[in-house]
Amino acid sequence: SFAGSTATLDQVVNQTSLVETSTSLVSSVNPSVFGQVVSFTASVSGEGGVPSGTVTFFEGASVLASVALDSAGQAGFATSSLAVGSHSVTAVYGGDGVYATSSSTPLTQVVSKAASSTGLVSSLNPSGAGASVTFTATVSAVAPGSGVPTGSVEFFDGETSLGTRPVDSSGQAGLSTDELSVGSHDVTAVYSGSTSFEVSTSSLLVQ
């Protein structure tokens, strides 16, 4: 008789092995220029279905963004804030209850300086002898680059420097003078460039 006795059953539950995944990473444009929008797209695949969960984008050890996978197993991230230089970007899939984590091969995103354009106008042209004339240079980014260039502009009368002025927060630099002699003056503005923007020279302005 088994009356009064207790039988113990040890039930062993094995963890189901996670399905291996593969994560790839591509850039929409490489190399790019400063201020240009770059889209990074990660694709995660695994046998038997489409993985779910999130992908985290890294630049080196710094997190750029975490994005949920869509129904096709893809996650995208766009940025226009990468500095000039080389950036090592990696996409890391965090896994889910079925699919294991995986990381992409590092992608080297190269960002070059953006081209700039410099325009030049005079406040008074023609002017009289001894009159104060203000030359204003406007420096702007050339698409697909973006942003407001920093640095300085040097103004020239022919080959003679009239002076150098800093570029303000709106991309402008101004120089005033009342020392121009009677006659025609070939005035140009030369933007010095910066860590993010290339040098540029205005068209000739005859004062």
Side-chain angles (χ1 to χ4, degrees):
S1 169
F2 294 97
S5 65
T6 302
T8 301
L9 174 65
D10 292 327
Q11 178 68 42
V12 178
V13 179
N14 293 320
Q15 180 178 359
T16 303
S17 296
L18 296 177
V19 178
E20 290 187 359
T21 61
S22 175
T23 299
S24 62
L25 177 64
V26 295
S27 166
S28 61
V29 54
N30 194 9
S32 58
V33 298
F34 179 79
Q36 183 175 9
V37 176
V38 179
S39 297
F40 296 102
T41 302
S43 299
V44 183
S45 60
E47 291 186 3
V50 179
S52 62
T54 60
V55 170
T56 302
F57 297 86
F58 289 88
E59 179 192 349
S62 300
V63 175
L64 295 174
S66 291
V67 183
L69 288 170
D70 62 19
S71 59
Q74 292 188 328
F77 164 69
T79 181
S80 61
S81 62
L82 294 177
V84 170
S86 295
H87 303 266
S88 181
V89 181
T90 307
V92 178
Y93 168 57
D96 59 17
V98 176
Y99 292 96
T101 63
S102 59
S103 299
S104 71
T105 300
L107 182 155
T108 300
Q109 179 70 38
V110 178
V111 181
S112 302
K113 289 185 179 183
S116 68
S117 175
T118 300
L120 177 64
V121 295
S122 168
S123 63
L124 183 64
N125 195 12
S127 58
S132 179
V133 179
T134 299
F135 297 107
T136 301
T138 301
V139 186
S140 56
V142 176
S146 66
V148 179
T150 59
S152 62
V153 171
E154 187 169 9
F155 297 84
F156 288 89
D157 177 4
E159 295 182 356
T160 301
S161 176
L162 297 174
T164 301
R165 298 292 184 271
V167 177
D168 65 19
S169 59
S170 62
Q172 292 189 329
L175 179 143
S176 298
T177 181
D178 58 4
E179 298 179 355
L180 295 176
S181 60
V182 173
S184 294
H185 299 265
D186 295 335
V187 182
T188 53
V190 180
Y191 169 57
S192 63
S194 68
T195 56
S196 301
F197 291 93
E198 299 284 1
V199 173
S200 60
T201 301
S202 71
S203 298
L204 183 69
L205 184 156
V206 179
Q207 178 68 39

